[in-house]
Amino acid sequence: GAVVSQHPSWVICKSGTSVKIECRSLDFQATTMFWYRQFPKQSLMLMATSNEGSKATYEQGVEKDKFLINHASLTLSTLTVTSAHPEDSSFYICSARDRTSATDTQYFGPGTRLTVL
Amino acid sequence: QKEVEQNSGPLSVPEGAIASLNCTYSDRGSQSFFWYRQYSGKSPELIMSIYSNGDKEDGRFTAQLNKASQYVSLLIRDSQPSDSATYLCAVRTGGGNKLTFGTGTQLKVEL
């Protein structure tokens, strides 16, 4: 149980284009999902908390107009990187909180590696 | 002071030995504690969670929590080369949603 999927697993795009990443909880409902970014050899950085049916909560320094988050259902959250630039190249990882489990735990998706040319 | 602190390592142990990974946290209101393992180029995977003072064992892994000392640790018995990874300590405070992660400890298990 507690499987989280992400799509795509990797994407290469041209500078200035937008990229959408999907995060799905496959066997549980997630009222809360999280989006992280990780640069090589660095720790996870929380970008935003995605709440089903309401606006996302962004961490300080993360541009909400550049990183659009939509959590339209209890099993799906999307992150759209708008007008991507090379400095946005990173490993984007989502996680979903399973409140129904005995451990109330966050489970991570496999990540999406974004390369902006 | 960082909210969750871990020694970045690398921590090198011989195969078959016990690896001891440590984590301290600053918020006394923290309620839930998690250990994740992250292989290079992969996303974190949950190893264990712990909520109460004392030890919790799962196979070769034992998590230890001491809230008075604001300290949580992970012991890996009979370490294997496949255990070589970065281990992330994460803490949730009270009823909050977010997990606060440490920067991780790199573990190397040598043949």
Side-chain angles (χ1 to χ4, degrees):
Chain A
V3 178
V4 177
S5 70
Q6 269 185 255
H7 178 80
S9 55
W10 60 270
V11 57
I12 301 173
C13 69
K14 292 182 179 180
S15 185
T17 60
S18 294
V19 174
K20 180 186 281 189
I21 302 170
E22 292 186 349
C23 177
R24 294 182 185 271
S25 56
L26 298 185
D27 51 1
F28 65 97
Q29 294 183 330
T31 54
T32 307
M33 292 182 172
F34 305 87
W35 288 96
Y36 296 83
R37 181 167 54 180
Q38 188 174 37
F39 293 105
K41 299 191 184 301
Q42 294 188 23
S43 188
L44 293 170
M45 187 195 83
L46 178 65
M47 300 175 66
T49 301
S50 170
N51 301 296
E52 187 267 336
S54 64
K55 291 183 179 180
T57 303
Y58 290 82
E59 295 299 302
Q60 191 173 12
V62 178
E63 300 175 58
K64 61 180 67 176
D65 294 331
K66 181 170 181 62
F67 299 99
L68 301 179
I69 292 172
N70 187 341
H71 192 159
S73 78
L74 288 172
T75 58
L76 174 64
S77 176
T78 60
L79 168 69
T80 301
V81 183
T82 62
S83 186
H85 291 284
E87 58 266 29
D88 297 323
S89 298
S90 188
F91 191 40
Y92 291 86
I93 313 172
C94 74
S95 71
R97 184 176 180 184
D98 183 2
R99 292 179 183 259
T100 62
S101 74
T103 56
D104 186 10
T105 303
Q106 275 190 41
Y107 296 94
F108 284 87
T112 297
R113 195 162 301 282
L114 170 63
T115 302
V116 185
L117 302 176
Chain B
Q1 181 189 5
K2 293 181 181 177
E3 294 181 61
V4 179
E5 292 205 51
Q6 295 180 256
N7 188 320
S8 61
L11 171 67
S12 294
V13 300
E15 183 178 7
I18 296 175
S20 177
L21 304 164
N22 304 314
C23 173
T24 58
Y25 59 95
S26 60
D27 191 334
R28 286 195 172 274
S30 299
Q31 303 264 328
S32 310
F33 307 86
F34 305 86
W35 282 99
Y36 289 84
R37 176 176 64 196
Q38 186 175 24
Y39 292 111
S40 180
K42 303 293 185 181
S43 68
E45 59 179 316
L46 179 69
I47 297 177
M48 291 190 70
S49 59
I50 187 167
Y51 303 89
S52 304
N53 279 329
D55 295 0
K56 179 181 177 183
E57 185 175 320
D58 184 0
R60 295 188 296 114
F61 300 97
T62 299
Q64 299 175 318
L65 175 62
N66 184 325
K67 290 187 177 181
S69 299
Q70 296 175 239
Y71 175 94
V72 58
S73 65
L74 179 70
L75 301 178
I76 307 174
R77 289 181 299 282
D78 188 23
S79 296
Q80 301 296 311
S82 58
D83 294 326
S84 298
T86 296
Y87 289 80
L88 300 170
C89 171
V91 175
R92 179 183 293 137
T93 301
N97 261 324
K98 296 191 296 186
L99 290 182
T100 301
F101 283 87
T103 53
T105 298
Q106 185 183 5
L107 172 67
K108 292 185 177 180
V109 181
E110 299 168 331
L111 294 170

